Amino acid sequence: MTEEFKKAFSNLSLDEKRNQISNELIMISELIKLKEDSLKLPSVLCVKNYISNSNMTESEMLDFLYEDIYNIQKELITVFSINK
């Protein structure tokens, strides 16, 4: 990641940062689903889409993100265990 990219993210509003992180997690989940499809595995991965201006507290947002990250981790463990 370049310094320009980090600075651009840093300059976003809190809501824009939340939305960008959510979008990145959704992209990661879609890539995992593509891999699962190529391995002919059913996908159970569900990553939530952050709704802008949802007035979540920081604690609620962290809970929201943690759940998605945890689910991504579980799915990656499954994919890598089968892809050996």
Side-chain angles (χ1 to χ4, degrees):
M1 177 182 292
T2 66
E3 288 302 315
E4 286 179 26
F5 195 75
K6 286 192 269 187
K7 185 176 180 181
F9 180 80
S10 183
N11 289 332
L12 297 174
S13 71
L14 184 59
D15 194 57
E16 290 169 327
K17 286 179 181 181
R18 290 173 169 185
N19 195 47
Q20 186 61 37
I21 291 169
S22 178
N23 289 342
E24 298 294 343
L25 291 174
I26 290 168
M27 177 59 73
I28 292 167
S29 73
E30 292 303 315
L31 292 169
I32 292 168
K33 288 176 184 180
L34 283 172
K35 182 63 176 177
E36 288 173 328
D37 189 49
S38 75
L39 294 170
K40 300 191 183 335
L41 296 173
S43 182
V44 294
L45 182 57
C46 179
V47 172
K48 302 172 302 300
N49 187 15
Y50 172 73
I51 299 169
S52 295
N53 301 314
S54 66
N55 296 321
M56 287 179 150
T57 66
E58 200 58 29
S59 181
E60 291 169 331
M61 187 63 197
L62 291 171
D63 291 345
F64 180 92
L65 293 172
Y66 181 77
E67 183 180 350
D68 285 344
I69 291 168
Y70 180 82
N71 289 332
I72 287 170
Q73 177 189 17
K74 283 180 23 184
E75 207 68 11
L76 281 171
I77 289 168
T78 301
V79 167
F80 282 114
S81 69
I82 292 174
N83 199 26
K84 288 184 179 179

